[in-house]
Each structure stands twice: as structure tokens, then as C-alpha cells.
Amino acid sequence: MIVLFFAGLVLLAHLYLWQRMVRSTTAPGRLRKALTWGVVGLVVLVVATFAATRMDFGHWLAWPGYVWLALMFYLIVFLVVLEVPRAVAALVLRRASRQAVAPEAAPVPVPAMAGAPAPPEPAPVVAPISRRLFLGRTTAAIAGVGALGTVGYGMTSALGDPVIERVKVALPKLDSRLSGLRFAVVSDIHLGPLTGRGHTERIVRMINGLEADVVAIVGDLVDGSVAQLGPLAQPLKSLESRYGAYFVTGNHEYFAPSGPMEWIEELDQLGVRSLRNERVEIRHQGAVLDLAGVNDLNGASAGDGPDFDKALGGRDAGRSTVLLAHQPVQAAQAARHGVDLQLSGHTHGGQIAPFNLVVGLQQPVVSGLATVDGVQVYVTRGAGFWGPPVRVGAPPEITLLELRG
């Protein structure tokens, strides 16, 4: 059902693009037919890209497929925004045409005198471009330039260095000896067909440069199997921190062909500990902080969902607790268990504006620090990207989060 819904959206989007970028800009003929078949090919490309990447084959389609998906999206955005001025311009041109003065009567030909040279032939009249074609081509040109510029900027952002966000969070009951404890928070790295080993090496290098006490990887590390992406994850063994690196599953770990367990075992070999509905004690300067982690909500369908009672039950209520949970929406359950701070990802900060407005309908926090049901929640925008290698209005992020009493 979801596949049919997605295919229907893709088809409708391309029908709209055909209407505005082909039919409104060309006259009937060979050019229109060629462009129409081009649009059909792009529909097939998008569907094939999603099928191939989900089924772990044909990853060579990822670059053209996902880049076109981004261009398609922004073409539609610009064209929709231009609908109103386009309609106004059409109305103005129509009125101007009606008010135009009728052409003067043709002059009566005068017979030439004998021996006089023949008058020159009149120059051929070139028919002016129709209002429809003029408006269609102008609109298409503006939308095309806007989409290309936006996607180009977005690719530069997505493929560039993540931004280092430095955040201080005050926890009212934090032991004063824990004040200054620093977390390097990263999420949504999304190792996959569009990322190379250099993507992971850069993230590891930047995290190590922060000299954090704890590294927290808050889900959606991979988009594929260990067999396919294992070499890309190898740099994670070089992560440096005083008290270790920790990981919780995101929804994409459950999309992997063999599920999340093979990645949990792989990360264990790389020195990254997975917190699977459990907690550990972080001992710092004679004080103790509870660091807990719960599985992602998507694990419930596989019998591997979050268990807050297991992760947080029976602990010392006088200690501050930091929870790693991939989705911000999990804060509602965290509040019932007295969590002081939740670290999450999942949203990508919207990744491609204006998707940030849509994400806000499903998650209580899109990015940054907020309070949900009395629990402070920090949501990182993530260090990678999913789908199109494009980020607009939400640059990739690695966070250095410092606890304060």
C-alpha cells in the first residue's frame, strides 16, 4: 500500500512538471514528444532508484536518481510559488491584447508607370511568440534556475564538513562534580551508496578534535548491510573519548537486510557499545551519572522495541540521567521515568526546507534544545543525509554538549 501511494505521488509530480515544463513551453511536434518521453524516463528512474537501494542492488542508480528527486522537488516548489504571478501576468497580457488598436487598412496599390522599377518585395512577417509560450517559457526558466541553484547549494552543504554546535545544558539536580562533563553527540550518519569511507573518517576526526568525555551515536548509522558497508564503518574504531562511545538503534537499522543485530555485533568489534534498553554508570570526579539507551520505536514490529522500564527501572532517583533515544517523540515516555535529558536525532532538522514544517507535525522538536513534558530534549540535525545528497536550511551537525549544574 505504501509503495502504491509513493508511486502515485511520483506520477502526479511528474504530470505537473510535464504540464508546466513541457506542454506550456513547446508547440506540438517532435520536441514535445522527445521531452515527454524524457519525463517518462525520469519517472522510471525515481521508482527504480528506491527499489534498487531498498533491495540492496543497483546502487549505481543512487546518484542520478536522488539528485533528480531533489531537482524535481524544488522545481515543483518554485512552480507552485509562481502560479499566482503567472496567472496575474496572463490576465494583464490578455487585457492588453483586447485594448490594442486594430491594424490600419492596407494601402491601395498604385499601378506602376511604364519603365519604372518594380517596388521591392515586402519583408516576411515573423509571427510573434504566443502569450502562452512566452509565459510558459519564462516561468519554466525561473523555476529551473531557482531549482538548480538551490540543489547546488544544498549539495555543497550536505557533502561538506558538519557544523560544530556547542551547547550547554543545565540540569537542576546534577551533582556539582559532574558539571562540565562533555558529550559529543552525532546522529543520522547514514552510511550508504552515496557516502564513502572519507565521510566516516571526517566525522571521526572532527569528534576526536572535540576531546569529549562521552561519544553518543544516536541512531541511523547505516543504510545497508555489513557486507556492503562494513568497510565504511571501520574508521569508527578510532573514536576517542574518556568514557567510551555508545550507540542506540534508529529506524534505519531495522531496514537493513539482516536487521540491526549484525551491526550491533560489528560495532562491538569496533569498540562502540550498544545500549539496548539498558544503562551504564559514567563515573566522573567521584560522582555518577546514569547513561541509558532505548531501542527505536521501529523495533517494536520485530519484537525489539524500546523498553523504558528495563532501561530506567530500579535506579537511584537522586542521580541525573541522560537518555539516548533516536526519536524525539520518545520523550513522552522518558518523562514518566524521570529522565533529566534526552539526546535524539531522526529529524535531520528537516534536511530540505520546507520539510522542517512537515517534520514538526510528527515530532515535538525538529532541532536544537527544547523541553517536552518537563524533560529537556536536544535534537541534533545529524551528520549525514538520507536520499538526496542535499541539505537546505539544515546543515549537517556534530554537537559538543556540556552539562552544567
Side-chain angles (χ1 to χ4, degrees):
M1 192 67 182
I2 295 177
V3 174
L4 290 176
F5 177 73
F6 169 74
L9 284 180
V10 170
L11 183 59
L12 287 174
H14 284 82
L15 281 173
Y16 177 68
L17 287 181
W18 176 83
Q19 176 70 29
R20 284 289 174 255
M21 302 295 289
V22 177
R23 188 174 185 275
S24 296
T25 62
T26 61
R30 291 183 179 179
L31 177 60
R32 179 181 288 184
K33 288 181 180 179
L35 292 175
T36 299
W37 280 110
V39 172
V40 172
L42 291 171
V43 173
V44 174
L45 174 63
V46 171
V47 175
T49 297
F50 273 86
T53 52
R54 279 299 182 95
M55 299 175 66
D56 212 18
F57 74 89
H59 286 148
W60 58 272
L61 287 170
W63 273 106
Y66 282 129
V67 170
W68 165 246
L69 192 68
L71 283 170
M72 178 196 79
F73 173 73
Y74 277 111
L75 279 171
I76 291 173
V77 169
F78 278 99
L79 287 169
V80 168
V81 170
L82 289 169
E83 286 291 350
V84 172
R86 183 180 185 276
V88 172
L91 181 62
V92 170
L93 288 175
R94 193 178 299 116
R95 288 182 176 178
S97 176
R98 289 173 181 172
Q99 296 172 0
V101 179
E104 297 180 1
V108 178
V110 178
M113 297 180 61
E121 291 291 330
V125 177
V126 179
I129 186 173
S130 70
R131 292 192 305 272
R132 181 186 71 82
L133 286 179
F134 172 75
L135 283 176
R137 290 173 183 177
T138 301
T139 302
I142 294 172
V145 171
L148 285 170
T150 303
V151 171
Y153 162 79
M155 290 183 69
T156 301
S157 176
L159 300 173
D161 289 352
V163 175
I164 300 296
E165 298 285 2
R166 299 177 184 272
V167 180
K168 294 182 180 181
V169 180
L171 302 183
K173 66 178 184 181
L174 185 72
D175 189 309
S176 60
R177 292 171 293 179
L178 293 172
S179 188
L181 190 70
R182 302 191 304 169
F183 285 74
V185 185
V186 65
S187 182
D188 301 279
I189 295 174
H190 285 289
L191 301 180
L194 299 186
T195 63
R197 186 184 176 101
H199 176 63
T200 321
E201 290 174 341
R202 173 173 54 192
I203 291 170
V204 169
R205 182 178 67 252
M206 294 181 71
I207 289 175
N208 290 347
L210 298 177
E211 299 181 344
D213 299 302
V214 179
V215 173
I217 305 173
V218 201
D220 279 7
L221 173 65
V222 295
D223 282 314
S225 64
V226 170
Q228 176 200 357
L229 302 176
L232 277 61
Q234 283 298 307
L236 294 175
K237 66 184 177 182
S238 300
L239 281 171
E240 299 172 358
S241 63
R242 184 183 298 186
Y243 302 121
Y246 299 89
F247 169 78
V248 291
T249 55
N251 53 308
H252 280 249
E253 273 70 52
Y254 294 95
F255 299 153
S258 300
M261 286 309 301
E262 67 168 4
W263 276 109
I264 289 165
E265 294 171 1
E266 181 72 8
L267 288 173
D268 184 60
Q269 297 296 316
L270 298 175
V272 178
R273 176 171 176 177
S274 297
L275 295 179
R276 296 178 51 71
N277 298 323
E278 57 187 317
R279 68 178 180 273
V280 294
E281 295 179 342
I282 303 296
R283 297 184 175 275
H284 179 72
Q285 299 183 153
V288 181
L289 174 81
D290 283 330
L291 177 65
V294 291
N295 297 347
D296 184 66
L297 294 168
N298 277 54
S301 60
D304 192 42
D307 188 333
F308 285 80
D309 289 331
K310 183 179 177 182
L312 298 165
R315 74 184 191 282
D316 183 346
R319 293 179 185 172
S320 291
T321 304
V322 175
L323 174 70
L324 309 184
H326 180 61
Q327 299 195 38
V329 74
Q330 293 175 276
Q333 288 180 282
R336 293 195 287 269
H337 290 81
V339 168
D340 300 284
L341 173 66
Q342 177 176 310
L343 304 179
S344 297
H346 184 63
T347 67
H348 296 207
Q351 184 169 323
I352 299 178
F355 269 125
N356 54 311
L357 304 178
V358 178
V359 174
L361 300 177
Q362 196 258 341
Q363 297 290 337
V365 186
V366 177
S367 65
L369 183 64
T371 300
V372 179
D373 295 339
V375 178
Q376 293 194 81
V377 180
Y378 186 82
V379 180
T380 173
R381 297 186 299 268
F385 53 85
W386 181 79
V390 175
R391 276 182 170 270
V392 177
E397 168 190 349
I398 296 171
T399 308
L400 182 63
L401 186 144
E402 183 177 325
L403 300 184
R404 288 292 183 181

